[in-house]
Amino acid sequence: GDSVTQMEGPVTLSEEAFLTINCTYTATGYPSLFWYVQYPGEGLQLLLKATKADDKGSNKGFEATYRKETTSFHLEKGSVQVSDSAVYFCALPDRGSTLGRLYFGRGTQLTVWP
Amino acid sequence: GAVVSQHPSRVICKSGTSVKIECRSLDFQATTMFWYRQFPKQSLMLMATSNEGSKATYEQGVEKDKFLINHASLTLSTLTVTSAHPEDSSFYICSARLAGVGGELFFGEGSRLTVL
């Protein structure tokens, strides 16, 4: 079945460093792809999404490009801030369901030091 | 964006007792809610899909008699962990789907259950 695989964390960076969190997917066809973020003590929030191949999702300085050639949707940010410290989840929908179920990757803990 | 609230955020209970966790959509109606379980350093595992006014649909391997789900209204779903045991200790997260085609999912802040 469809699934996503994320790089394992934790990832620790200094402020203003470049961030990449890898995500690859396995799916038939081209499902929508999502990145969610979970800040400490909070629920998950949608960070960005891409609905078709070659789309680029972006939000809050984060970007991810839907690459069908490499079945990837890597999350990037050019200059991270301490406030970006959170857990990041890659996800794709269960296309066998009309209800909006999502399959999540393991999550990658990001810690940014000042 | 829309707000989903869970309560309690943390609960500690003794083995053998039952614990109820509430999930509310505060400013929208959610015909469908989902309950996830998150183990340390692991992903969110979908436990069940809850539809207002009907029985929940459980994922394979999830005991429906242990994890009772009720979706009595368009803004409230509850998860009751019955006869809790230490292995039920986990982080439980709910999400609610905005009604309509392609409705976005909004997540609660999660509830940390510790069973002693």
Side-chain angles (χ1 to χ4, degrees):
Chain A
D2 294 359
S3 65
V4 290
T5 302
Q6 267 182 258
M7 65 181 284
E8 292 197 19
V11 174
T12 303
L13 295 173
S14 298
E15 208 165 26
E16 299 183 4
F18 184 85
L19 168 71
T20 300
I21 300 178
N22 291 340
C23 171
T24 56
Y25 67 90
T26 301
T28 53
Y30 304 109
S32 296
L33 296 170
F34 305 88
W35 276 101
Y36 281 82
V37 57
Q38 185 179 24
Y39 296 105
E42 298 183 19
L44 277 75
Q45 302 172 25
L46 178 63
L47 179 61
L48 55 83
K49 65 180 180 182
T51 57
K52 61 182 187 295
D54 299 327
D55 261 5
K56 177 185 284 188
S58 61
N59 185 25
K60 299 182 179 180
F62 290 89
E63 292 184 340
T65 302
Y66 190 154
R67 299 195 187 282
K68 61 182 180 182
E69 304 84 6
T70 53
T71 62
S72 64
F73 193 55
H74 303 326
L75 182 68
E76 297 181 335
K77 186 172 186 181
S79 177
V80 294
Q81 305 299 313
V82 173
S83 57
D84 294 326
S85 298
V87 182
Y88 293 82
F89 294 90
C90 187
L92 60 76
D94 174 5
R95 290 178 296 164
S97 165
T98 58
L99 300 176
R101 291 164 36 162
L102 291 176
Y103 293 119
F104 288 89
R106 284 177 167 256
T108 303
Q109 172 78 56
L110 169 66
T111 301
V112 181
W113 296 99
Chain B
V3 177
V4 174
S5 178
Q6 278 185 243
H7 178 80
S9 57
R10 292 179 184 274
V11 57
I12 301 172
C13 69
K14 294 182 179 179
S15 285
T17 60
S18 293
V19 174
K20 180 185 286 188
I21 301 170
E22 294 185 345
C23 177
R24 294 181 184 272
S25 56
L26 298 185
D27 50 1
F28 67 100
Q29 292 184 333
T31 53
T32 304
M33 290 185 174
F34 303 92
W35 286 96
Y36 294 84
R37 182 173 179 178
Q38 186 179 20
F39 294 96
K41 298 184 179 181
Q42 294 190 29
S43 182
L44 283 76
M45 180 192 77
L46 180 64
M47 298 174 66
T49 302
S50 169
N51 291 299
E52 186 267 337
S54 64
K55 289 184 178 181
T57 303
Y58 289 82
E59 295 299 301
Q60 192 173 4
V62 177
E63 298 176 61
K64 61 181 180 181
D65 294 330
K66 179 160 193 63
F67 299 99
L68 300 179
I69 292 172
N70 182 273
H71 194 152
S73 76
L74 287 171
T75 59
L76 174 64
S77 176
T78 60
L79 167 67
T80 302
V81 183
T82 62
S83 186
H85 290 281
E87 58 265 29
D88 299 325
S89 299
S90 193
F91 195 58
Y92 293 90
I93 300 176
C94 74
S95 69
R97 181 171 175 264
L98 200 58
V101 177
E104 188 174 338
L105 285 180
F106 296 92
F107 288 80
E109 60 269 62
S111 299
R112 171 76 61 192
L113 170 64
T114 302
V115 184
L116 303 177

